[in-house]
PDB file of all heavy atoms in Angstrom:
ATOM      1  N   GLU A 618      78.259 -92.369  -6.482  1.00 94.00           N
ATOM      2  CA  GLU A 618      77.758 -93.638  -7.014  1.00 94.00           C
ATOM      3  C   GLU A 618      78.890 -94.465  -7.621  1.00 94.00           C
ATOM      4  O   GLU A 618      78.997 -95.678  -7.364  1.00 94.00           O
ATOM      5  CB  GLU A 618      76.681 -93.359  -8.065  1.00 94.00           C
ATOM      6  CG  GLU A 618      76.033 -94.605  -8.626  1.00 94.00           C
ATOM      7  CD  GLU A 618      75.012 -94.298  -9.714  1.00 94.00           C
ATOM      8  OE1 GLU A 618      74.587 -93.119  -9.834  1.00 94.00           O
ATOM      9  OE2 GLU A 618      74.655 -95.235 -10.464  1.00 94.00           O
ATOM     10  N   ARG A 619      79.756 -93.825  -8.398  1.00 93.00           N
ATOM     11  CA  ARG A 619      80.883 -94.547  -9.009  1.00 93.00           C
ATOM     12  C   ARG A 619      81.829 -95.093  -7.943  1.00 93.00           C
ATOM     13  O   ARG A 619      82.301 -96.235  -8.033  1.00 93.00           O
ATOM     14  CB  ARG A 619      81.637 -93.614  -9.963  1.00 93.00           C
ATOM     15  CG  ARG A 619      80.932 -93.369 -11.293  1.00 93.00           C
ATOM     16  CD  ARG A 619      81.858 -92.672 -12.278  1.00 93.00           C
ATOM     17  NE  ARG A 619      82.174 -91.312 -11.861  1.00 93.00           N
ATOM     18  CZ  ARG A 619      81.469 -90.238 -12.221  1.00 93.00           C
ATOM     19  NH1 ARG A 619      80.403 -90.377 -12.989  1.00 93.00           N
ATOM     20  NH2 ARG A 619      81.829 -89.044 -11.805  1.00 93.00           N
ATOM     21  N   THR A 620      82.108 -94.284  -6.937  1.00 91.00           N
ATOM     22  CA  THR A 620      83.016 -94.709  -5.874  1.00 91.00           C
ATOM     23  C   THR A 620      82.446 -95.896  -5.113  1.00 91.00           C
ATOM     24  O   THR A 620      83.170 -96.845  -4.777  1.00 91.00           O
ATOM     25  CB  THR A 620      83.276 -93.538  -4.909  1.00 91.00           C
ATOM     26  OG1 THR A 620      83.859 -92.454  -5.628  1.00 91.00           O
ATOM     27  CG2 THR A 620      84.206 -93.949  -3.774  1.00 91.00           C
ATOM     28  N   LEU A 621      81.161 -95.862  -4.849  1.00 92.00           N
ATOM     29  CA  LEU A 621      80.527 -96.947  -4.121  1.00 92.00           C
ATOM     30  C   LEU A 621      80.580 -98.243  -4.918  1.00 92.00           C
ATOM     31  O   LEU A 621      80.913 -99.308  -4.381  1.00 92.00           O
ATOM     32  CB  LEU A 621      79.074 -96.568  -3.800  1.00 92.00           C
ATOM     33  CG  LEU A 621      78.255 -97.565  -2.987  1.00 92.00           C
ATOM     34  CD1 LEU A 621      78.957 -97.961  -1.706  1.00 92.00           C
ATOM     35  CD2 LEU A 621      76.870 -96.978  -2.687  1.00 92.00           C
ATOM     36  N   ARG A 622      80.290 -98.174  -6.201  1.00 93.00           N
ATOM     37  CA  ARG A 622      80.375 -99.366  -7.049  1.00 93.00           C
ATOM     38  C   ARG A 622      81.794 -99.945  -7.043  1.00 93.00           C
ATOM     39  O   ARG A 622      81.994-101.152  -6.894  1.00 93.00           O
ATOM     40  CB  ARG A 622      79.987 -99.027  -8.491  1.00 93.00           C
ATOM     41  CG  ARG A 622      78.524 -98.708  -8.733  1.00 93.00           C
ATOM     42  CD  ARG A 622      78.322 -98.365 -10.199  1.00 93.00           C
ATOM     43  NE  ARG A 622      77.025 -97.808 -10.466  1.00 93.00           N
ATOM     44  CZ  ARG A 622      75.922 -98.517 -10.696  1.00 93.00           C
ATOM     45  NH1 ARG A 622      76.001 -99.841 -10.669  1.00 93.00           N
ATOM     46  NH2 ARG A 622      74.783 -97.926 -10.951  1.00 93.00           N
ATOM     47  N   ALA A 623      82.783 -99.059  -7.202  1.00 92.00           N
ATOM     48  CA  ALA A 623      84.169 -99.522  -7.261  1.00 92.00           C
ATOM     49  C   ALA A 623      84.599-100.148  -5.939  1.00 92.00           C
ATOM     50  O   ALA A 623      85.282-101.187  -5.922  1.00 92.00           O
ATOM     51  CB  ALA A 623      85.082 -98.347  -7.617  1.00 92.00           C
ATOM     52  N   SER A 624      84.191 -99.542  -4.833  1.00 91.00           N
ATOM     53  CA  SER A 624      84.565-100.069  -3.522  1.00 91.00           C
ATOM     54  C   SER A 624      83.998-101.465  -3.301  1.00 91.00           C
ATOM     55  O   SER A 624      84.689-102.358  -2.798  1.00 91.00           O
ATOM     56  CB  SER A 624      84.071 -99.131  -2.418  1.00 91.00           C
ATOM     57  OG  SER A 624      84.690 -97.871  -2.508  1.00 91.00           O
ATOM     58  N   LEU A 625      82.758-101.668  -3.681  1.00 92.00           N
ATOM     59  CA  LEU A 625      82.138-102.978  -3.483  1.00 92.00           C
ATOM     60  C   LEU A 625      82.779-104.035  -4.366  1.00 92.00           C
ATOM     61  O   LEU A 625      82.910-105.197  -3.957  1.00 92.00           O
ATOM     62  CB  LEU A 625      80.637-102.878  -3.743  1.00 92.00           C
ATOM     63  CG  LEU A 625      79.865-101.980  -2.773  1.00 92.00           C
ATOM     64  CD1 LEU A 625      78.374-101.978  -3.107  1.00 92.00           C
ATOM     65  CD2 LEU A 625      80.067-102.428  -1.334  1.00 92.00           C
ATOM     66  N   SER A 626      83.202-103.651  -5.571  1.00 91.00           N
ATOM     67  CA  SER A 626      83.885-104.600  -6.455  1.00 91.00           C
ATOM     68  C   SER A 626      85.215-105.036  -5.855  1.00 91.00           C
ATOM     69  O   SER A 626      85.571-106.227  -5.873  1.00 91.00           O
ATOM     70  CB  SER A 626      84.113-103.975  -7.832  1.00 91.00           C
ATOM     71  OG  SER A 626      82.888-103.721  -8.479  1.00 91.00           O
ATOM     72  N   VAL A 627      85.957-104.085  -5.296  1.00 90.00           N
ATOM     73  CA  VAL A 627      87.236-104.405  -4.665  1.00 90.00           C
ATOM     74  C   VAL A 627      87.032-105.318  -3.464  1.00 90.00           C
ATOM     75  O   VAL A 627      87.755-106.307  -3.277  1.00 90.00           O
ATOM     76  CB  VAL A 627      87.964-103.114  -4.246  1.00 90.00           C
ATOM     77  CG1 VAL A 627      89.168-103.439  -3.362  1.00 90.00           C
ATOM     78  CG2 VAL A 627      88.393-102.326  -5.474  1.00 90.00           C
ATOM     79  N   VAL A 628      86.025-105.014  -2.649  1.00 92.00           N
ATOM     80  CA  VAL A 628      85.766-105.817  -1.454  1.00 92.00           C
ATOM     81  C   VAL A 628      85.399-107.238  -1.832  1.00 92.00           C
ATOM     82  O   VAL A 628      85.916-108.210  -1.243  1.00 92.00           O
ATOM     83  CB  VAL A 628      84.652-105.169  -0.614  1.00 92.00           C
ATOM     84  CG1 VAL A 628      84.140-106.142   0.448  1.00 92.00           C
ATOM     85  CG2 VAL A 628      85.157-103.893   0.040  1.00 92.00           C
ATOM     86  N   ASP A 629      84.517-107.404  -2.794  1.00 88.00           N
ATOM     87  CA  ASP A 629      84.115-108.760  -3.184  1.00 88.00           C
ATOM     88  C   ASP A 629      85.309-109.580  -3.662  1.00 88.00           C
ATOM     89  O   ASP A 629      85.411-110.778  -3.393  1.00 88.00           O
ATOM     90  CB  ASP A 629      83.040-108.708  -4.278  1.00 88.00           C
ATOM     91  CG  ASP A 629      81.639-108.972  -3.728  1.00 88.00           C
ATOM     92  OD1 ASP A 629      81.534-109.582  -2.644  1.00 88.00           O
ATOM     93  OD2 ASP A 629      80.662-108.573  -4.366  1.00 88.00           O
ATOM     94  N   ALA A 630      86.244-108.945  -4.365  1.00 89.00           N
ATOM     95  CA  ALA A 630      87.436-109.667  -4.823  1.00 89.00           C
ATOM     96  C   ALA A 630      88.302-110.090  -3.646  1.00 89.00           C
ATOM     97  O   ALA A 630      88.861-111.195  -3.632  1.00 89.00           O
ATOM     98  CB  ALA A 630      88.231-108.780  -5.778  1.00 89.00           C
TER      99      ALA A 630
END
Side-chain angles (χ1 to χ4, degrees):
E618 183 183 344
R619 284 191 293 269
T620 300
L621 182 53
R622 290 179 191 275
S624 297
L625 296 181
S626 295
V627 170
V628 167
D629 258 338

